[in-house]
């Protein structure tokens, strides 16, 4: 099974291109997105740990979409900081989603500088032990992790590797179809190189990128190879500025899943290629 969705759903710049500017009473953006896509990657949980009440609220939003699944980003205090954090509060919230049969994956995202070193292997081993039995995906961005010994190490930890599309650097992981576990996972961050490496650029500028047909075709080929050996494959578009992630997600869903759902009219007006 291949599930295509977006990273997040709550962006101010989606009002107009994705969500109607004049929203009807009681408009729920998560429910709206769940009407089109079978998954969402919840990136809000990267910035602060969720509570069981948060998760229960999100579950209510997708009640009308029985096939919908969530992917949650692990709190950054556990991946980007050397804080004395515990997994327990995060997993207490995840249990609510798992018990409702809505949990697709937990994503551990590490920064560019997280290399394949003995110290970092020990850190990963501790996290993997705490996440044992949970559907866990790891996103690393340093190419020292895609050697055969490193990939074997991730397999032994039962961590499914995330394949990424990101601005190229000498140490970046290139586009590919690596596999280390039962979950296939792809994240498309965009290729806005000029802004990506500009320390003054805003997050919106960094993720302001629309993939073209040739770039998407490159990734559909990778995804099909990944999905051939995975139980479930998630394809997440993170080039979120002005709804570009949503536009590309519709294009990928059509190609990979045969999805025939018509995009919102306002999105087609912004990105006319969707009409074809």
């Amino acid at each position: 099974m291949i599930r295509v969705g977006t990273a997040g759903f709550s962006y101010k710049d989606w009002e107009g291109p994705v969500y109607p500017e004049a929203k009807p009473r009681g408009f729920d953006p998560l429910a709206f997105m769940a009407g089109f896509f079978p998954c969402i990657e919840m990136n809000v949980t990267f910035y602060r740990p969720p509570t069981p009440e948060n998760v229960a609220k999100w579950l209510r939003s997708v009640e009308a979409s029985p096939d919908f699944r969530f992917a949650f980003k692990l709190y950054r205090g556990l991946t980007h900081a050397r804080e004395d954090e515990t997994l327990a509060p995060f997993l207490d919230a995840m249990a609510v989603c798992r018990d409702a049969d809505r949990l697709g994956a937990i994503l551990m995202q590490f920064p560019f500088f997280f290399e394949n070193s003995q110290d970092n292997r020990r850190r990963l081993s501790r996290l993997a032990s705490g996440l044992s039995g949970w559907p866990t995906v790891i996103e690393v961005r340093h190419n020292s992790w895609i050697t055969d010994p490193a990939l074997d190490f991730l397999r032994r930890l039962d961590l499914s590797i995330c394949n990424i599309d990101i601005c190229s650097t000498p140490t970046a992981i290139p586009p590919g179809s690596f596999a280390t576990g039962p979950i296939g996972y792809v994240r498309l961050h965009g290729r806005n190189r000029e802004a990506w490496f500009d320390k003054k650029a805003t997050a919106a500028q960094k993720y302001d990128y629309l993939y073209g047909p040739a770039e998407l075709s490159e990734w559909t080929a990778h995804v099909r190879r990944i999905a051939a050996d995975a139980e479930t494959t998630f394809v997440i578009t993170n080039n979120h500025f002005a709804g570009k992630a949503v536009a590309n997600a519709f294009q990928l869903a059509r190609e990979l899943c045969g999805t025939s759902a018509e995009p919102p009219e306002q999105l087609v007006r912004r990105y006319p290629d969707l009409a074809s």
Side-chain angles (χ1 to χ4, degrees), residues 143-174:
N143 60 16
S144 58
W145 289 104
I146 57 171
T147 65
D148 287 339
L151 293 172
D152 285 340
F153 172 72
L154 297 181
R155 290 187 186 98
R156 291 196 299 273
L157 295 182
D158 198 25
L159 298 176
S160 298
I161 194 168
C162 175
N163 290 270
I164 58 175
D165 190 273
I166 205 162
C167 293
S168 176
T169 71
T171 62
I173 290 180

Side-chain angles (χ1 to χ4, degrees), residues 200-274:
K200 297 180 181 179
T202 64
Q205 291 170 326
K206 291 179 186 292
Y207 294 100
D208 183 5
Y209 189 84
L210 185 70
Y211 285 90
E215 295 167 326
L216 293 179
S217 292
E218 174 189 356
W219 270 104
T220 56
H222 286 310
V223 171
R224 289 191 175 105
R225 285 192 288 271
I226 294 166
D229 296 317
E231 294 174 7
T232 301
T233 299
F234 293 85
V235 181
I236 303 296
T237 52
N238 193 32
N239 52 323
H240 55 73
F241 182 72
K244 291 177 179 175
V246 186
N248 283 150
F250 270 107
Q251 292 169 312
L252 286 164
R254 286 173 176 173
E255 182 66 23
L256 290 166
C257 312
T259 302
S260 59
E262 291 296 323
E265 292 181 5
Q266 60 269 19
L267 192 68
V268 177
R269 287 197 297 270
R270 177 66 67 95
Y271 303 108
D273 284 352
L274 290 177

